[in-house]
Amino acid sequence: HSFRERLSLSGGDDRFGYRMGLSNFSQRGTVFHNSDFDNRNFSGRFDFKLAPELDATLVVRSAESHLGVYTTSAGAEFEPTDPNDTKDRSDTLISMTFLSRPSTTWDSRLTLSRYFNTVKFNTLKDIGEVGETSENYSITEFSRQGGTWQNDWRLDGGHELSAGFDYE
C-alpha cells in the first residue's frame, strides 16, 4: 500500500511573501519483508522587503526518510540479509539572501547558507537471538556552510559586468 499527502500554502503583500509546501509519502511492505519506506519533505521561501532598496529571502528545505533495508548493496546471494536493518536519512538546507540595489545600475547580493546531512544505519537483534549476529548502529553526520557575494553592474549598450566572491 502506498500513501501520498501534500499541502501547500502561499500568500503575501508588498512587504512580505511566503510559499510553503509539505509532503509525505509512505509505502508499506509491498516488495519484501522490511521494505517499508517513509519520506517527509518541507520547503519554504519567505521574502521580506526591509527597505525600498533592500530585500531579504529565507529558504528552508528539509527531507527525512526511513527505509527498511531488506537487502545489501551486493545482493542477497553474497551476504545474508537481516530483516531488522533500517536506514534513516535527514537533509536540511537553510539559506538567507540579501539583495541591495544601491543605484539603478548596480545590484549587490549576499547569500549565506548551511547544509546538514545525517545518515543512520541500524540492525537490532531479534528477541532471543544468539550467535554472531549482533546489534549494530552507525551514524554519519555532515555539514557544509558557505557564502556568496555577487555584484552586477549594468553598462551602456546592454552589457553587464559581474564580480564577486564565493566561499564554501
Side-chain angles (χ1 to χ4, degrees), residues 46-120:
F46 307 90
D47 296 301
F48 307 90
K49 176 148 299 286
L50 302 176
E53 298 83 25
L54 181 61
D55 296 331
T57 300
L58 172 67
V59 173
V60 179
R61 293 187 177 149
S62 178
E64 293 183 3
S65 64
H66 173 80
L67 172 66
V69 184
Y70 53 88
T71 186
T72 64
S73 60
E77 63 272 14
F78 296 103
E79 294 182 37
T81 60
D82 189 320
N84 296 310
D85 288 356
T86 60
K87 177 182 176 183
D88 293 288
R89 180 179 176 131
S90 172
D91 295 277
T92 303
L93 171 68
I94 301 170
S95 73
M96 187 74 182
T97 299
F98 297 94
L99 173 61
S100 174
R101 295 176 193 85
S103 74
T104 58
T105 59
W106 176 25
D107 292 346
S108 183
R109 180 183 316 265
L110 174 66
T111 301
L112 304 171
S113 62
R114 181 130 195 222
Y115 169 75
F116 307 89
N117 170 264
T118 303
V119 178
K120 298 176 188 177

Side-chain angles (χ1 to χ4, degrees), residues 127-138:
I127 296 173
E129 183 177 6
V130 294
E132 293 181 18
T133 303
S134 64
E135 192 165 295
N136 185 6
Y137 177 80
S138 71

